[in-house]
C-alpha cells in the first residue's frame, strides 16, 4: 500500500496486522481522490478519517493538499500502524489521532469539511452515524451503496470490485 499522489506520492504505508481492518486499495483511493480533486474539495480542507485503519485515506488527503486530518480508530493494531505512518511521513503537526469508538466521538467533531468513513465489514448503523456527522461531504466506503438518509443527498455511488464508494452531501 502506498500514497498515490501529491506531496508524499509513492511513499509506502504500513497496514495493520490481523483481519479487523480492510485497507482501501490503491485503485479505489485513486478513483476517490480523482473525483474529489475535480470537485475542488480537498485543497486546504480539514478532513476526518473515521475508522481510519492505517490512515491511508486521511494521509492521501494531506498529501493532496488538505490542511489537517483528524483520525479516529479504536483497534490497537490499526492505531500502531496509523501512528507509524504519521511518524514516518513526519506529518504529526497536521494530524490529530483519537483512539476511541467513532460513534462515541463523532458528536464532538467540529470544523471538518470532508469525512472519510470506512467502517468494518457488515456495518449496519449508517443512518445513526450519518445523523451524528456534521460535515458538508461524506465519502462512504462500504460493501453496498449507502442510501442517503433524510438531510443528505447522494451525489454518486460507484462500485470498484467488492467496494462501493458513495459521496453524500448535506
Amino acid at each position: 500500500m502506498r500514497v498515490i499522489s501529491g506531496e508524499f506520492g509513492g511513499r509506502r504505508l504500513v497496514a495493520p496486522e490481523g483481519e479487523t481492518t480492510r485497507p482501501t486499495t490503491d485503485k479505489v483511493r485513486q478513483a476517490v481522490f480523482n473525483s474529489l480533486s475535480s470537485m475542488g474539495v480537498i485543497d486546504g480542507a480539514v478532513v476526518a478519517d473515521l475508522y481510519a485503519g492505517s490512515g491511508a485515506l486521511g494521509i492521501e488527503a494531506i498529501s493532496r493538499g488538505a490542511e489537517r486530518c483528524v483520525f479516529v480508530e479504536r483497534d490497537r493494531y490499526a492505531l500502531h500502524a496509523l501512528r507509524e505512518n504519521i511518524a514516518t511521513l513526519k506529518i504529526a503537526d497536521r494530524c490529530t489521532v483519537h483512539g476511541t469508538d467513532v460513534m462515541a466521538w463523532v458528536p464532538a467533531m467540529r470544523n471538518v469539511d470532508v469525512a472519510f468513513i470506512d467502517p468494518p465489514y457488515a456495518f449496519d448503523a449508517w443512518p445513526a452515524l450519518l445523523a451524528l456527522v456534521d460535515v458538508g461531504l461524506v465519502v462512504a466506503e462500504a460493501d453496498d451503496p449507502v442510501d442517503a438518509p433524510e438531510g443528505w443527498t447522494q451525489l454518486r455511488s460507484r462500485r470498484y470490485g467488492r467496494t462501493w464508494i458513495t459521496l453524500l452531501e448535506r
Side-chain angles (χ1 to χ4, degrees), residues 107-125:
M109 184 169 66
R110 301 283 183 272
N111 302 317
V112 171
D113 302 303
V114 179
F116 297 95
I117 306 176
D118 181 12
Y121 290 110
F123 182 76
D124 62 356

Side-chain angles (χ1 to χ4, degrees), residues 26-38:
D26 292 356
K27 175 185 172 183
V28 172
R29 274 186 290 116
Q30 183 169 8
V32 165
F33 281 94
N34 286 347
S35 179
L36 295 175
S37 292
S38 71

